[in-house]
Amino acid sequence: MGLLQVIFNFLLENLTETLLFLVLCIIVWRYMQPSPYVLPPGLRRWPIIGSLGLFLPTKEDPSGAKRILSLSKKLKSDMIGHYFGSQYTIFLQDYDDIKQIFGMDAFAGREKSGIWEIFFGGLIGSSGPRWKEQRRFTLSTLRDFGLGKNKSELIIHSEIEHLLDQFETYNGEPNDVSILINSAVSNIICSLIFGHRFDYKDSTFNYMLDIMEEHFNRNIIPVSFGCMFFGTKFMSWLPGDIFKVKRTKKIMEEMRSSIFKTEFENHREKFDPKNIDDYMDAFILEMKKRENKTDEEHWFTQEQLNLNIEDLFQAGSETTTTTIKWVIVYMMHHPEVQQRIRAEIHNEVGTERFPSMRDKVNLPYTEAVLTEIQRIQVLTPLTAGNGSTFETPTTIKGYTLPPGTTCYANFYAVHNDPKHWESPEQFNPERFLDANGKFRPSDKMLTFSTGKRSCIGEGLARMELFLFCTAILQRFKITNPGAKELPSLMPIRGSSTMCPEPYEVCLNVD
């Protein structure tokens, strides 16, 4: 028997092992090939998982932003590169780099990930003409309905009245106020989208909030990792639901087919083109304008409306609610700061009316405290990935990046950069006051992101935060229940917006 015949028989008898060995050889060969690109420094790429382990939530670093910053310093580069699975990604730590690159059309897209099929598929996760059309429409519509103007302020003041009335029923006893705050903030979004608010005990309203809370704070992390590893199609074939993809799709479909569908049908039945009262009315008007136009590409559909509503609720209510919860935590930790805020509000506004946006200029210390809390507690330490729109290798800051590169900004790094902030680890509201005690804003604050994909609801969020917090502090003294430790200043692990740990607080009228 010849040598070739012996080898052939051996391979046939060990076919499975042979194929596995060949696959392994191909993977190793491809892994060892020199890159055709000039990439920023970064960790060694591991097959399949890339550098994904760097971003697993820990108690001290729930988002991974601190580890990214530490690695950046170790590598002595403000721009570093990683692989999320097979997706190449750059991370920016420097403010000037973030401003430049996030303002470029080349990075105005979204990363190519199945995550956008499940989360934020409307205004946040879309790209290209659909994103431009829907973002332009939403900005215009919210502006028309008083975003940042008197109409929004009246809606917020009305909701504040309901919220404070509920707080007073606690009679100063310890309570977890997070659910009520979320209900109040969400009702602002309901008023703008649906044209009405819900009672805090309404079963439909609470069902919707429960779904949003689960969606945003419990499911988004495992779904994100599942999409990075396997993709949404493969995960749908897997037994069980370890990454919570099936559960997430199920509860979101339930909300669309019940709550959103009911609201849509009610609006369509009562639709009057001469009386456009809310976001849903305005969207239906655009739908009707295009009913008989077949030559124009557009995305004014009921499906797109559902996606937009989900984005507005999740991004518009969760972040503001979380910030207000952090404000309460810091008032418990710093009673002397709270006392000074309350004195400023009482001296400038009094107690006979709610603070308004026109009072803001006269409440510089209050504004400084709210801004410092947003600086030190970064709700999105790492941004959602801005996907590249270029189809050929592109050179940025001396590096040649591959098509499809995703760009993340480390806002935690900017908010803690000693170049911009003296002793950034310390809570110091005075850093936002000038020598005359006037509020001094800083362009280094990236609370609402920057560039072409900056937060669409920034004006509303700023108004909500100021009006809610000043009204609460005007009426109530915030104290920690006597027998309990102060709430932790570390965010809860696994939360997408760096929420504080659950806590109880006493709200005393004085």
Side-chain angles (χ1 to χ4, degrees), residues 448-499:
F448 300 98
S449 192
T450 185
K452 297 182 179 297
R453 282 195 173 263
S454 60
C455 177
I456 199 170
E458 177 178 350
L460 177 64
R462 289 186 182 278
M463 179 184 287
E464 287 177 320
L465 180 63
F466 179 80
L467 295 178
F468 271 101
C469 290
T470 54
I472 291 170
L473 287 162
Q474 178 191 47
R475 186 174 300 187
F476 299 102
K477 181 179 180 180
I478 297 170
T479 58
N480 185 52
K484 297 191 176 184
E485 292 185 7
L486 284 167
S488 172
L489 295 178
M490 287 298 299
I492 190 170
R493 183 168 60 180
S495 166
S496 59
T497 54
M498 303 299 110
C499 294

Side-chain angles (χ1 to χ4, degrees), residues 419-431:
K419 292 188 301 184
H420 310 311
W421 319 98
E422 182 180 350
S423 302
E425 72 284 354
Q426 295 181 6
F427 177 70
N428 178 22
E430 277 79 7
R431 70 175 82 246

Side-chain angles (χ1 to χ4, degrees), residues 127-140:
S127 298
R130 179 163 73 105
W131 168 68
K132 292 180 180 179
E133 175 196 73
Q134 294 301 308
R135 181 180 173 90
R136 189 183 305 114
F137 164 77
T138 300
L139 279 170
S140 173

